[in-house]
Amino acid sequence: MPLFWRISLFNAVVLVAATALLLGPVTVSTPVLLTEAAILTVGLVVILIANVLLLRVGLGPLRRLAHAMTTTDLLRPRVRPKVDGDGEIAELITTFNTMLDRLEAERALSAARTLSAQESERHRVAQELYDEVGQTLAAVLLDLKRVADQAPDEVREQLSQVQETTRSSLDEIRRIARRLLPGVLEELGLSSALRSLSDEFTGPSLTVRHDIATGLPDLGDNADLVLYRVAQEGLTNAARHAGARLVVLTLERAGDAAVRLRVRDDGRGFDGSDEDAEGAGIRGMRERALLIGADLVVGPARGGGTEVRLTVPVGDRVADPVA
């Protein structure tokens, strides 16, 4: 029976019972006797308790649904509210769950298109850096060398400094281009790409260690790219924002049905409880994880620091999300 009719029927029963008592042999003296007051008080308390219990039981599913509405985040999929209650309440919860399914599907499609556009733009910019800027600086280096060979000694030292500056700029441009377009990922695979990425971030102020298991299952190009980008973002956050001195990158099996990537640093730490504190980088990682049906956790690491943990299921995933 719908909640509306249950409440109405209960109140009708109460009113009928009260009317029967008034029309029956029971009377109330003037002034009211102590026993009569006690009977009226007990009757009123029973009616109030019954109403409270009825409303609490009947409106419980609505309270749980309201909590789900206030805590739902499309980037953090949660278990759907259980469909319980009767009539309109069960229909409302079912409608809400259907709406969440549709919103998540639309969000995934929109994110896939956005990330695909980002990857295409990365590819274009990296190609231009390689073909245009890189070749131009390489030509400038050759010209500087030729001029330095013919220049007098007092000018040759200055030209040598300009050569070193140009060579450093060329190396930096190549490094940026490699991060934008990880050619080693396509050529040598995920394991080699992660090792190369670890070496790129290792420097005087940061040490990156990697522990990559062998014999991992083939996850597909899309999952490999997501794993690479999440590792790249995790290392970037550790180097730029966490003030870390040591980062450990791990790629391993997580049971028989998943592969897990972990990026753990010893920096300032991030508890992951404040969603508003998450920057575009972490939200981008969450969007990428959703596209391949992976589970992403960003939070405090054991012993201090921050840990990024991405668990990718082995099997069917969303097709072609970021190609």
Side-chain angles (χ1 to χ4, degrees):
M1 180 183 295
L3 179 62
F4 171 77
W5 290 112
R6 279 187 289 168
I7 295 176
S8 299
L9 180 60
F10 178 80
N11 286 323
V13 171
V14 171
L15 290 175
V16 170
T19 302
L21 288 175
L22 290 175
L23 297 177
V26 178
T27 60
V28 179
S29 303
T30 303
V32 180
L33 299 177
L34 182 61
T35 55
E36 294 174 343
I39 293 173
L40 290 174
T41 301
V42 171
L44 180 61
V45 170
V46 170
I47 292 173
L48 290 176
I49 292 176
N51 262 303
V52 169
L53 291 177
L54 176 64
L55 291 174
R56 184 173 183 84
V57 172
L59 298 180
L62 287 180
R63 186 171 58 253
R64 292 189 291 271
L65 178 60
H67 176 73
M69 288 179 174
T70 57
T71 58
T72 295
D73 183 355
L74 296 181
L75 292 180
R76 298 169 182 254
R78 294 184 175 92
V79 177
R80 297 286 188 265
K82 181 181 178 181
V83 179
D84 52 9
D86 299 316
E88 295 92 340
I89 295 180
E91 184 179 353
L92 178 61
I93 298 175
T94 301
T95 302
F96 177 72
N97 290 340
T98 302
M99 181 191 69
L100 283 184
D101 293 338
R102 186 175 69 252
L103 288 176
E104 286 189 359
E106 292 175 353
R107 178 63 182 265
L109 180 59
S110 175
R113 291 173 178 172
T114 300
L115 294 176
S116 178
Q118 289 179 357
E119 291 298 331
S120 298
E121 187 65 15
R122 287 171 182 256
H123 187 280
R124 185 188 65 81
V125 172
Q127 204 66 43
E128 289 187 1
L129 287 175
Y130 272 125
D131 297 341
E132 301 295 335
V133 182
Q135 291 183 7
T136 300
L137 286 179
V140 170
L141 273 177
L142 293 176
D143 291 340
L144 286 173
K145 183 179 184 306
R146 185 171 59 254
V147 173
D149 292 340
Q150 301 174 359
D153 294 338
E154 59 272 12
V155 180
R156 187 173 301 168
E157 183 177 353
Q158 297 179 1
L159 289 175
S160 178
Q161 295 177 356
V162 175
Q163 281 182 285
E164 289 303 319
T165 301
T166 305
R167 187 175 290 107
S168 298
S169 299
L170 180 59
D171 292 339
E172 180 67 15
I173 287 174
R174 288 172 176 171
R175 183 184 63 81
I176 294 173
R178 284 195 301 270
R179 290 190 180 183
L180 289 173
L181 181 62
V184 67
L185 180 63
E186 299 178 359
E187 297 170 1
L188 301 179
L190 178 63
S191 298
S192 297
L194 292 179
R195 293 189 183 96
S196 176
L197 186 65
S198 300
D199 295 339
E200 286 184 19
F201 277 90
T202 297
S205 60
L206 180 65
T207 300
V208 180
R209 298 176 183 170
H210 55 76
D211 182 9
I212 300 174
T214 58
L216 294 175
D218 183 19
L219 300 174
D221 294 341
N222 294 323
D224 286 351
L225 182 57
V226 170
L227 283 164
Y228 181 87
R229 292 301 187 197
V230 169
Q232 187 179 48
E233 185 64 34
L235 291 173
T236 300
N237 289 339
R240 294 182 180 178
H241 308 301
R245 301 287 298 177
L246 173 66
V247 181
V248 179
L249 187 151
T250 306
L251 184 66
E252 59 189 357
R253 277 187 175 274
D256 296 331
V259 171
R260 178 174 296 139
L261 169 74
R262 292 191 298 170
V263 181
R264 187 173 66 253
D265 66 62
D266 63 350
R268 286 189 292 271
F270 173 71
D271 60 12
S273 61
D274 187 0
E275 298 179 9
D276 295 332
E278 293 187 354
I282 296 179
R283 296 188 69 84
M285 287 193 288
R286 295 195 185 282
E287 289 181 347
R288 291 182 183 277
L290 285 177
L291 293 178
I292 59 172
D295 179 47
L296 177 74
V297 177
V298 181
R302 183 178 301 176
T306 303
E307 181 178 79
V308 177
R309 186 168 65 252
L310 179 69
T311 305
V312 181
V314 177
D316 296 334
R317 287 174 294 273
V318 179
D320 196 23
V322 291

